[in-house]
Amino acid sequence: VIYVNGEVVNDVNGSIHNKGDIYLTHYWTNKDAAGCLDPTTGTVWLYGNAQIIKGTQPTKFNNLNCENGGTKTLNINTYVGGTSGVLKLKTSPFILSSKTLFMTNPSNGGITRTTGYIVSETTPVAGYGIVQWDLGNSTGNYIYPFGTAGGSYIPFNCNITAAGVQSTAGNMAVSTYPTSVITSPNNLPLPTGVTNLNDASSNNASLVCLDRFWVTQPNNYTTAPTASVSFTYQDAEWNTTGGSTNTIVEDSLKAWRWNTTSSQWINPSTGTDNTSLNTVAVPSVNAFSIWTLKGKAPCSVSASLTASLTTVTLGGSVSLTAGGGGTYLWNTGATTSSINVVPSASTLYCVTVTNPNGGCTDSACVDVKVELPCGEFWLPNAFSPNSDNKNEYFKPRSICIKTIDFRIYNRWGNLVYASLSPTDIGWDGSVPGKGKDGNEGVYAYEIKATLNDGTLIDQKGTVTLLK
């Protein structure tokens, strides 16, 4: 065991034959093309704060342990893993800084973590920060333990279920970076080779795309491996909490892959979103390139309904017009935005409006009342309340009385009957104190009424009561 309280510098033509453990608290620098270390033995511990792996030539580590909480940063492409070595991310973020980390151990246990993570995050302009895993024809769940610059853990899982066919030693290179939420539209800069974010209708889909890309690239395969993959995202990358203008329903997020051959996005997007874990899982992937997550906008529709008339005489026509956009379905079965109806009775008409992009619905209704034709308002000039069920009552003949004040007087001007009810059955000939006894004669009436159509009635006359 060697403990270096400071920096290790390996100059040109230098080498370190490490079969044990080297601890250091500062930088690691290598200038020798051979890689400084025996690549399949020993362990190097990055044990300090803000340590950098740098130099003019890549170092080839066997085991590399990152701990003590300080950041570990690559200033040069770096190899870890030998044939069976491990990169242990114990408590430290491992920052790629636009460089490539080559994991040469083909086992899916080549990278482990306690609370540490790998920060890829750089855009294509600066250069991707890449983890290239030389997995060859191995299978299993390969976890690329990415994290954000802010410390959130966002692993990319690649569970290989069928090995690829190698031309030479195959590998899977993966990088990820967040995009600006300030630019308009969002999702810029686009990955290298990607020219648009157009959906199947050639509309810009940036408002429903997550503010992050993943670049996955299998190399040295004639047939790529088949894998179930899982993308992890942050809430601020799909919603507006980070200042984004996205309009996305989270559980609609699916993986969207760029086809480098046809230069377009593969539609439809695929996968299943787990909103509790913030992951989108896609089974049986055998084509890898550039990915983002695409969702649907929050569904919104507001139905409206107007009627040319809300009260109509029997046989009359009413025009009904719906609004709100999308598709329409009336409770009559009609599917147009406007319909004409001829109701035979008072009817509640409803329309359901559906947003075709999100499937949400809203309904609106209107009640159309039907009135019978009022005909002539009149009163008979005689009636005979003698229990023969003919002309037993004296009342106005109309089916359209809305309000009424109906009074009847005897020959001396005394009130014998009064009613304010349009539904009253009428006067049966009874008078106060006598009932129906000895009532023959002529009686005066006066009536004030309002009909349903607004007609005012003010009428006086006489009626003869016969036995």
Side-chain angles (χ1 to χ4, degrees):
V1 177
I2 299 176
Y3 184 89
V4 180
N5 189 19
E7 181 177 6
V8 171
V9 179
N10 185 59
D11 214 334
V12 177
N13 297 324
S15 61
I16 301 173
H17 299 288
N18 177 27
K19 297 185 186 301
D21 294 87
I22 300 174
Y23 290 78
L24 72 154
T25 61
H26 204 47
Y27 298 166
W28 177 281
T29 303
N30 175 52
K31 302 178 183 179
D32 185 76
C36 182
L37 297 165
D38 292 332
T40 60
T41 62
T43 301
V44 173
W45 297 71
L46 299 180
Y47 208 70
N49 293 315
Q51 293 177 275
I52 300 174
I53 299 174
K54 60 179 186 172
T56 58
Q57 297 291 336
T59 300
K60 297 180 179 179
F61 297 95
N62 178 44
N63 293 314
L64 181 61
N65 293 353
C66 302
E67 101 168 63
N68 208 25
T71 59
K72 320 303 178 187
T73 303
L74 298 187
N75 271 5
I76 190 169
N77 294 342
T78 299
Y79 295 77
V80 179
T83 56
S84 60
V86 176
L87 170 62
K88 293 183 178 181
L89 304 169
K90 291 195 171 182
T91 57
S92 299
F94 193 90
I95 302 171
L96 299 181
S97 188
S98 299
K99 302 301 186 289
T100 298
L101 169 68
F102 296 91
M103 171 44 62
T104 57
N105 178 357
S107 167
N108 63 354
I111 303 177
T112 65
R113 70 180 291 268
T114 305
T115 58
Y117 50 88
I118 296 173
V119 180
S120 174
E121 299 297 88
T122 45
T123 69
V125 177
Y128 298 132
I130 300 170
V131 176
Q132 178 178 301
W133 207 318
D134 297 341
L135 49 91
N137 59 4
S138 300
T139 59
N141 189 24
Y142 287 80
I143 301 175
Y144 292 71
F146 292 124
T148 69
S152 297
Y153 184 51
I154 53 167
F156 171 76
N157 287 19
C158 185
N159 188 6
I160 298 176
T161 55
V165 178
Q166 304 177 83
S167 54
T168 56
N171 66 74
M172 180 71 72
V174 181
S175 61
T176 182
Y177 70 95
T179 58
S180 172
V181 299
I182 300 174
T183 56
S184 181
N186 297 337
N187 311 91
L188 296 177
L190 297 175
T192 301
V194 174
T195 58
N196 62 70
L197 275 173
N198 293 340
D199 61 18
S201 302
S202 297
N203 299 314
N204 188 299
S206 60
L207 290 179
V208 292
C209 285
L210 191 89
D211 297 323
R212 177 173 290 276
F213 290 102
W214 290 261
V215 182
T216 61
Q217 182 61 54
N219 298 300
N220 304 330
Y221 291 100
T222 55
T223 301
T226 298
S228 295
V229 299
S230 176
F231 305 87
T232 307
Y233 60 90
Q234 299 183 95
D235 284 332
E237 294 169 351
W238 69 266
N239 62 27
T240 59
T241 57
S244 174
T245 56
N246 289 340
T247 54
I248 300 173
V249 176
E250 183 183 7
D251 61 10
S252 71
L253 286 170
K254 296 180 181 295
W256 206 24
R257 187 178 68 83
W258 176 260
N259 187 322
T260 55
T261 302
S262 60
S263 296
Q264 63 183 8
W265 293 93
I266 303 297
N267 293 295
S269 50
T270 59
T272 303
D273 184 272
N274 185 321
T275 58
S276 297
L277 299 178
N278 280 20
T279 60
V280 171
V282 187
S284 303
V285 174
N286 55 21
F288 295 85
S289 55
I290 295 163
W291 305 77
T292 189
L293 302 183
K294 177 174 176 281
K296 295 180 179 179
C299 191
S300 176
V301 63
S302 178
S304 63
L305 178 55
T306 57
S308 58
L309 294 170
T310 56
T311 301
V312 63
T313 302
L314 180 66
S317 175
V318 178
S319 176
L320 303 175
T321 302
T327 59
Y328 301 88
L329 178 62
W330 297 82
N331 58 352
T332 63
T335 57
T336 55
S337 60
S338 296
I339 61 173
N340 288 314
V341 294
V342 182
S344 59
S346 295
T347 304
L348 183 67
Y349 291 97
C350 295
V351 64
T352 298
V353 183
T354 302
N355 183 325
N357 296 320
C360 57
T361 62
D362 189 32
S363 297
C365 296
V366 63
D367 192 13
V368 178
K369 298 186 180 300
V370 174
E371 296 179 345
L372 298 176
C374 292
E376 182 182 358
F377 181 93
W378 67 283
L379 288 94
N381 56 15
F383 77 115
S384 56
N386 55 9
S387 301
D388 64 356
N389 293 323
K390 297 178 180 179
N391 298 318
E392 295 293 320
Y393 298 94
F394 175 61
K395 64 179 180 178
R397 298 295 192 261
S398 176
I399 60 174
C400 298
I401 299 175
K402 187 175 182 181
T403 66
I404 192 170
D405 185 352
F406 186 27
R407 301 173 186 269
I408 299 175
Y409 304 89
N410 61 19
R411 70 184 66 183
W412 297 283
N414 298 321
L415 181 68
V416 297
Y417 171 81
S419 176
L420 297 175
S421 172
T423 60
D424 200 330
I425 60 174
W427 181 42
D428 65 357
S430 298
V431 296
K434 292 185 178 182
K436 292 185 177 182
D437 296 332
N439 295 351
E440 280 193 326
V442 177
Y443 293 82
Y445 69 82
E446 61 179 7
I447 186 168
K448 295 181 179 180
T450 303
L451 304 187
N452 289 336
D453 61 4
T455 301
L456 299 177
I457 303 296
D458 189 354
Q459 187 173 324
K460 297 180 179 180
T462 60
V463 60
T464 300
L465 188 156
L466 303 173
K467 289 292 189 179

